[in-house]
Amino acid sequence: MARAHWGCCPWLVLLCACAWGHPKPADLGGQDVRNCSTNPPYLPVTVVNTTVSLTALRQQMQTQNLSAYIIPDTDAHMNEYIGQHDERRAWITGFTGSAGTAVVTMKKAAVWTDSRYWTQAERQMDCNWELHKEVGTTPIVTWLLTEIPAGGCVGFDPFLLSIDTWESYNLALQGSNRQLVSITTNLVDLVWGSERPPVPNQPIYALQEAFTGSTWQEKVSGVRSQMQKHQKAPTAVLLSALEETAWLFNLRASDIPYNPFFYSYTLLTDSSIRLFANKSRFSSETLSYLNSSCTGPMCVQIEDYSQVRDSIQAYALGDVRIWIGTSYTMYGIYEVIPKEKLVTDTYSPVMMTKAVKNSKEQALLKASHVRDAVAVIRYLVWLEKNVPKGTVDEFSGAELVDKFRGEEQFSSGPSFETISASGLNAALAHYSPTKELNRKLSSDEMYLLDSGGQYWDGTTDITRTVHWGTPSAFQKEAYTRVLIGNIDLSRLIFPAATSGRMVEAFARRALWDAGLNYGHGTGHGIGNFLCVHEWPVGFQSNNIAMAKGMFTSIEPGYYKDGEFGIRLEDVALVVEAKTKYPGSYLTFEVVSFVPYDRNLIDVSLLSPEHLQYLNHYYQTIREKVGPELQRRQLLEEFKWLQQHTEPLAARAPDTASWASVLVVSTLAILSWSV
């Protein structure tokens, strides 16, 4: 689980780090920490003065005859993370939380965000801004109807509103004598001017063939085959999500934090390939790799990124049908394609295709998880030695695990901001420490580490929760029930084409039995050196059905407000299941290889089936990771691994029965592998 998957909450972190208290939701709705009624107003020192920028923005609005202007928190590609170049809402408001929409009228300015960010917004926004503690288009439109006159125009950048978001605004404003106005030149960009961070300009490079499942030519041919078989006979596929183009051409760059993408679009027809990007970023070798000097059906023509709208509009004048995935296509493209020339699905054929990994991609992703396990095990061994000294804090720990990953072969940085949370901070599911705000790790508290890496062969994401001292009975029970949920879903056998949503409850059942639960999703897809949260795979209602070859995380948890948090996350491959009777059934093969904390497992809660599964998993870890540790002479880590993967027994044996327990455990392992 990456931080942005749930959202981030740095100013809630401030409260926790300074007061060691976890504010309950009711606390967050209290009095605004700003006092704008005094002269001068009382404001925290952390606010940003936005008077000049707002004045300049309103001047731009006047030139466009606008009564209001909407400033979303996204970029033109619906990226989970956005680059500094696209942080318009943060720049104009001063509020840097990752979720929230700003609206400016000629007299007022307001931000709508959810409870994770209320305190942060109050500490960062000056008195020019109202804070609305709601989300969604309905409260924004309700406010607009009271603030702007009849006949007023509400401007927006069409490249920053998804099709669904535009439709929700448009529907809510219908019949109000106010209208939405699409303005392709972003007004905040005009005001931001030379202060705006530049567009990234690092080279766009091709992955070596050793790290790709198929050549780009094979992928293009596969998509064209899907076009030919489609009942609506599309003549082109338009790719708007950055991961789609990166996957299709096996190209990577570093435009987006934590994701190896570059700003781009692709228009693929049966006879041409047009890649919209900054051509100056392609080396001569990469241009040759793309056959860009020719004009045939397997030659990639590089066109300027900024011309995509005009080019699509010109293409749509012909006798064509353009296939799009509506989830990642912004209104700025959608509005220039006549509706009768659109072929729409929720996800594009590229999104659907890359969700299922071929055998080579599966092998690559598994290999990356072995090396990733080495990094995490090195970190856990280091923690066991150093936490009792009182010298480790959450931030220094996060830096060290990132450093260990960076030393692994084919490493290309973290896949998200590391969640390193001690004690009560772990109860904040979105918590990440900073250099200024963090807690010391203690042997008397639980510690949650949720982290991942980008490697040329795969993307990783794993969560482990540990306790170096004496956990309470309730902590052990909660941890073990989370572990049972992880095991129950991981070992589940289910019919092929079953929705993840249909089986998600298996991860919660052991918690529900005791009246416990968790408030986040149970898993997400993961890519091959792509997104750490790869749609459309997962266990939510808008995910597609499970299929052989998909990778998903499995990550139940439990969070005791103000005390501790638990999450156990593994990445698993969907594989065929062996059943007694013939049929098409699936199950999961876990590819994360780090042991769970024995100190937190209450074996009395585990069934024989749970013990059998767990001991087989530990044997697999020994076989996969042990040789790698030995090869690299990491002997201390190898010894730790052997100790932490000893077979678990149903009850603590006395000395006389130890031999019999080993026999039983060995038989369990052998019976599983038969």
Side-chain angles (χ1 to χ4, degrees), residues 366-592:
K366 288 179 181 181
S368 72
H369 279 76
V370 171
R371 298 193 309 280
D372 196 71
V374 171
V376 175
I377 288 169
R378 288 180 65 194
Y379 179 58
L380 292 176
V381 172
W382 185 89
L383 287 177
E384 279 193 9
K385 293 188 298 182
N386 289 278
V387 167
K389 300 176 184 177
T391 58
V392 186
D393 62 54
E394 296 165 328
F395 184 74
S396 65
E399 285 191 316
L400 185 62
V401 74
D402 289 346
K403 175 179 179 292
F404 284 155
R405 276 199 173 90
E407 294 171 359
E408 292 301 316
Q409 192 176 24
F410 311 137
S411 173
S412 187
S415 58
F416 58 94
E417 185 173 14
T418 297
I419 296 172
S420 171
S422 177
L424 56 84
N425 281 346
L428 291 168
H430 319 95
Y431 174 84
S432 286
T434 67
K435 188 174 183 179
E436 296 76 23
L437 302 170
N438 56 73
R439 292 191 77 196
K440 283 285 179 65
L441 272 58
S442 168
S443 298
D444 299 323
E445 293 186 325
M446 297 177 80
Y447 173 65
L448 187 154
L449 175 74
D450 185 349
S451 62
Q454 290 285 13
Y455 303 92
W456 294 345
D457 48 354
T459 303
T460 69
D461 184 3
I462 185 171
T463 308
R464 290 294 182 262
T465 306
V466 297
H467 195 303
W468 300 283
T470 305
S472 69
F474 176 62
Q475 287 176 329
K476 291 186 69 171
E477 178 182 359
Y479 181 96
T480 307
R481 289 185 181 278
V482 171
L483 175 59
I484 291 171
N486 184 301
I487 293 173
D488 283 347
L489 185 51
S490 297
R491 65 189 292 269
L492 183 69
I493 295 174
F494 53 93
T498 296
S499 165
R501 184 64 173 170
M502 295 293 291
V503 301
E504 192 257 5
F506 283 88
R508 301 179 185 268
R509 184 173 62 178
L511 288 162
W512 287 352
D513 284 345
L516 306 177
N517 203 1
Y518 55 94
H520 57 76
T522 296
H524 54 82
I526 195 161
N528 283 82
F529 193 28
L530 288 167
C531 284
V532 74
H533 298 130
E534 185 173 81
W535 286 82
V537 176
F539 297 95
Q540 300 183 47
S541 58
N542 53 350
N543 290 136
I544 60 176
M546 291 289 176
K548 177 185 174 182
M550 291 179 173
F551 282 86
T552 180
S553 70
I554 295 175
E555 49 182 299
Y558 173 72
Y559 308 89
K560 178 65 174 174
D561 188 33
E563 295 186 21
F564 64 88
I566 300 164
R567 188 162 61 254
L568 296 175
E569 176 184 17
D570 295 307
V571 171
L573 169 64
V574 181
V575 296
E576 289 182 359
K578 296 180 180 179
T579 54
K580 181 177 180 181
Y581 300 105
S584 183
Y585 285 81
L586 302 172
T587 189
F588 297 104
E589 175 191 336
V590 172
V591 301
S592 299

Side-chain angles (χ1 to χ4, degrees), residues 18-205:
C18 295
W20 306 130
H22 177 198
K24 297 177 175 60
D27 299 331
L28 296 175
Q31 187 174 358
D32 196 323
V33 298
R34 303 172 297 175
N35 188 343
C36 296
S37 62
T38 61
N39 188 17
Y42 169 75
L43 295 172
V45 295
T46 46
V47 302
V48 175
N49 188 329
T50 62
T51 299
V52 173
S53 56
L54 273 175
T55 299
L57 178 60
R58 287 177 172 131
Q59 290 172 349
Q60 293 293 338
M61 290 167 58
Q62 278 186 317
T63 65
Q64 299 285 344
N65 196 29
L66 298 178
S67 300
Y69 190 64
I70 300 171
I71 308 162
D73 55 16
T74 187
D75 65 9
H77 302 275
M78 296 287 287
N79 282 305
E80 179 179 2
Y81 304 98
I82 63 173
Q84 293 181 340
H85 177 79
D86 289 312
E87 292 178 345
R88 300 174 178 89
R89 200 273 342 272
W91 181 80
I92 196 69
T93 65
F95 163 54
T96 59
S98 65
T101 299
V103 180
V104 176
T105 70
M106 298 308 295
K107 294 182 178 179
K108 290 187 177 181
V111 166
W112 285 258
T113 190
D114 64 66
S115 61
R116 296 171 295 165
Y117 302 102
W118 294 346
T119 302
Q120 177 181 357
E122 291 170 359
R123 281 169 162 76
Q124 292 183 316
M125 297 193 307
D126 63 14
C127 289
N128 288 310
W129 294 91
E130 299 175 358
L131 173 60
H132 291 263
K133 299 177 178 181
E134 301 170 286
V135 292
T137 57
T138 299
I140 294 175
V141 171
T142 300
W143 183 83
L144 281 169
L145 294 178
T146 64
E147 295 298 331
I148 64 175
C153 295
V154 181
F156 69 99
D157 182 339
F159 283 94
L160 299 184
L161 288 191
S162 67
I163 297 170
D164 286 346
T165 303
W166 173 83
E167 287 179 341
S168 64
Y169 277 114
N170 191 52
L171 182 63
L173 286 170
Q174 280 183 2
S176 70
N177 197 20
R178 284 102 169 157
Q179 70 177 89
L180 284 173
V181 179
S182 171
I183 303 173
T184 56
T185 300
N186 190 283
L187 303 189
V188 174
D189 292 351
L190 294 178
V191 176
W192 207 346
S194 60
E195 294 182 13
R196 186 184 180 201
V199 178
N201 199 37
Q202 292 83 8
I204 297 168
Y205 61 93

Side-chain angles (χ1 to χ4, degrees), residues 644-661:
H644 285 74
T645 54
E646 287 288 344
L648 285 166
R651 57 185 178 276
D654 55 31
T655 305
S657 62
W658 180 246
S660 62
V661 170

